[in-house]
Amino acid sequence: MCRYWYSSTVVLVSSFSLLYPFTALSSPQSGRFPASSKGFKPTSSSEHSTASKTNMACPIEEDVALSSRRCAGARYLFEDVVRDPLAPILAGEEIIASERINKAKNAVYPVVAIRTRWIDDKIEEAFSLDPTLTQVVLCGAGMDARGYRLEKMKKCQIYELDVKPVLDYKTSVLAGVADRFPLLARSVHRLISDFADDVHWVRQLKEAGFDPEKKTVWILEGFLYYFPEPRVQTMLGVIRALSSPGSLLLADHVNDFTLASLRAQAGDKWLTSTFSSTMEEPETTLSTLGFDEVEVVTVGENGAHYGLWALPVIPRAEKKDVMRTYLIRATVGSKS
């Protein structure tokens, strides 16, 4: 999924129709960029693509595929900060063109790039400190290409879960450039899931080789706020139960005021109907669920701006009614 999302700590978003038009784009026919996701089918390559069926409850799968490509485009436009050579290929030429327009008109545009770089840094740090980490799960993987670009993951088995249109498109595009961008990780398993059924996606993981007794790095980037709060709590509880001591959770979420502002201002039906939850106090929520060492920073704060954030940042303790994107790191200290 890896959803396309921007928020500001000081600016009410009044241009969501610009940021989220989700109109069909015609496909480029030549060059190094891929064509439209329409019609793509999974292509076998060095990765394992698991085409197991699931009861897809998500009514916006094609929009999700487009959204994840736009995230890739947003990363590409800050290539000095996010090292992702596959981003422009996965995004596509016309996505890149539309994202250049969005970047020029929105001061909060760098959120996606900041989020990705912050998670990259936490991954690099974790693998440097603990070389026994060899298992990574990406929930809502979208166009994430960390298995192809992060050297620290070269010993890892990676499990990517997302809806079928996303994984079909991604698998096909990556197969076409495999000679130039080989997989660095030990393996990648792509599993079709909309996360409607915890029993199903957990079973898929285990059947693909996931070992709950191994330490796991869980990456939930641009993912959680698309589910109602009870569902978020349940999924996080499942993840906690599947995590051996030494596991790591990396995620992001938004505060209450962000969701309220979206619902009050955005005229885009897709946007207002799919942003479904918030996490006002991530430290409390995750600690209650059994996670340890919870670290939360707001996009734009020290350690989470990378020279890209030009807007003022108001500390959380000073004001609640501002829009915030939280970047979250948590660990598992012992089995629950």
Side-chain angles (χ1 to χ4, degrees), residues 165-176:
V166 171
L167 297 184
D168 283 2
Y169 172 84
K170 182 178 185 177
T171 300
S172 293
V173 171
L174 291 177

Side-chain angles (χ1 to χ4, degrees), residues 120-247:
D120 282 355
D121 288 351
K122 295 302 177 183
I123 291 171
E124 296 273 356
E125 177 185 281
F127 281 98
S128 295
L129 293 173
D130 187 355
T132 67
L133 287 168
T134 58
Q135 188 165 253
V136 178
V137 179
L138 295 100
C139 297
M143 299 299 119
D144 187 297
R146 290 185 171 98
Y148 297 81
R149 63 184 182 84
L150 295 185
E151 287 284 345
K152 294 289 186 182
M153 285 190 171
K154 62 184 179 182
K155 296 181 181 179
C156 291
Q157 289 180 300
I158 299 176
Y159 301 88
E160 298 185 352
L161 292 91
D162 213 319
V163 293
K164 190 175 187 298
V166 171
L167 297 184
D168 283 2
Y169 172 84
K170 182 178 185 177
T171 300
S172 293
V173 171
L174 291 177
V177 296
D179 56 333
R180 289 187 289 146
F181 299 98
L183 181 67
L184 298 179
R186 180 181 172 187
S187 63
V188 171
H189 303 261
R190 297 197 174 102
L191 311 173
I192 298 168
S193 180
D194 64 355
F195 297 92
D197 183 344
D198 290 325
V199 172
H200 183 83
W201 71 262
V202 170
R203 183 173 64 245
Q204 283 184 287
L205 267 182
K206 292 179 177 179
E207 289 176 350
F210 172 84
D211 184 353
E213 298 304 314
K214 290 183 178 180
K215 301 173 187 176
T216 303
V217 176
W218 298 89
I219 302 174
L220 283 62
E221 182 177 1
F223 176 72
L224 289 173
Y225 37 68
Y226 280 81
F227 298 90
E229 186 171 346
R231 187 77 192 96
V232 171
Q233 298 269 340
T234 300
M235 285 192 293
L236 288 172
V238 170
I239 287 171
R240 174 63 180 83
L242 288 170
S243 300
S244 288
S247 293

Side-chain angles (χ1 to χ4, degrees), residues 12-306:
L12 293 180
V13 180
S14 58
S15 56
F16 280 108
S17 60
L18 170 66
L19 292 174
Y20 295 89
F22 291 102
T23 52
L25 300 177
S26 58
S27 58
Q29 301 299 320
S30 61
R32 65 191 183 97
F33 298 99
S36 165
S37 60
K38 299 287 188 181
F40 270 88
K41 296 180 179 180
T43 303
S44 59
S45 65
S46 59
E47 302 83 13
H48 307 284
S49 181
T50 302
S52 53
K53 301 288 185 179
T54 186
N55 180 22
M56 292 294 184
C58 180
I60 53 170
E61 291 176 20
E62 293 293 342
D63 287 336
V64 168
L66 179 56
S67 174
S68 62
R69 290 174 62 196
R70 296 180 74 171
C71 280
R75 291 192 293 272
Y76 169 64
L77 295 181
F78 293 102
E79 58 183 334
D80 291 342
V81 171
V82 180
R83 301 174 295 278
D84 189 352
L86 277 165
I89 297 170
L90 289 165
E93 191 171 54
E94 293 198 28
I95 294 287
I96 296 293
S98 67
E99 291 309 298
R100 291 189 191 280
I101 296 171
N102 289 338
K103 179 185 177 184
K105 294 185 177 182
N106 293 278
V108 298
Y109 186 84
V111 165
V112 169
I114 291 170
R115 179 182 73 188
T116 297
R117 173 60 186 273
W118 188 86
I119 292 175
D120 282 355
D121 288 351
K122 295 302 177 183
I123 291 171
E124 296 273 356
E125 177 185 281
F127 281 98
S128 295
L129 293 173
D130 187 355
T132 67
L133 287 168
T134 58
Q135 188 165 253
V136 178
V137 179
L138 295 100
C139 297
M143 299 299 119
D144 187 297
R146 290 185 171 98
Y148 297 81
R149 63 184 182 84
L150 295 185
E151 287 284 345
K152 294 289 186 182
M153 285 190 171
K154 62 184 179 182
K155 296 181 181 179
C156 291
Q157 289 180 300
I158 299 176
Y159 301 88
E160 298 185 352
L161 292 91
D162 213 319
V163 293
K164 190 175 187 298
V166 171
L167 297 184
D168 283 2
Y169 172 84
K170 182 178 185 177
T171 300
S172 293
V173 171
L174 291 177
V177 296
D179 56 333
R180 289 187 289 146
F181 299 98
L183 181 67
L184 298 179
R186 180 181 172 187
S187 63
V188 171
H189 303 261
R190 297 197 174 102
L191 311 173
I192 298 168
S193 180
D194 64 355
F195 297 92
D197 183 344
D198 290 325
V199 172
H200 183 83
W201 71 262
V202 170
R203 183 173 64 245
Q204 283 184 287
L205 267 182
K206 292 179 177 179
E207 289 176 350
F210 172 84
D211 184 353
E213 298 304 314
K214 290 183 178 180
K215 301 173 187 176
T216 303
V217 176
W218 298 89
I219 302 174
L220 283 62
E221 182 177 1
F223 176 72
L224 289 173
Y225 37 68
Y226 280 81
F227 298 90
E229 186 171 346
R231 187 77 192 96
V232 171
Q233 298 269 340
T234 300
M235 285 192 293
L236 288 172
V238 170
I239 287 171
R240 174 63 180 83
L242 288 170
S243 300
S244 288
S247 293
L248 177 68
L249 173 72
L250 298 168
D252 64 295
H253 216 313
V254 297
N255 67 340
D256 293 346
F257 188 76
T258 296
L259 183 58
S261 298
L262 290 176
R263 289 175 172 169
Q265 297 185 58
D268 190 294
K269 182 179 179 181
W270 186 93
L271 181 67
T272 55
S273 65
T274 55
F275 278 77
S276 301
S277 68
T278 66
M279 194 177 287
E280 189 67 27
E281 297 290 341
E283 298 93 338
T284 301
T285 299
L286 291 168
S287 296
T288 300
L289 289 168
F291 289 93
D292 305 296
E293 299 177 348
V294 182
E295 172 191 353
V296 180
V297 297
T298 300
V299 167
E301 291 180 339
N302 289 336
H305 63 76
Y306 303 100

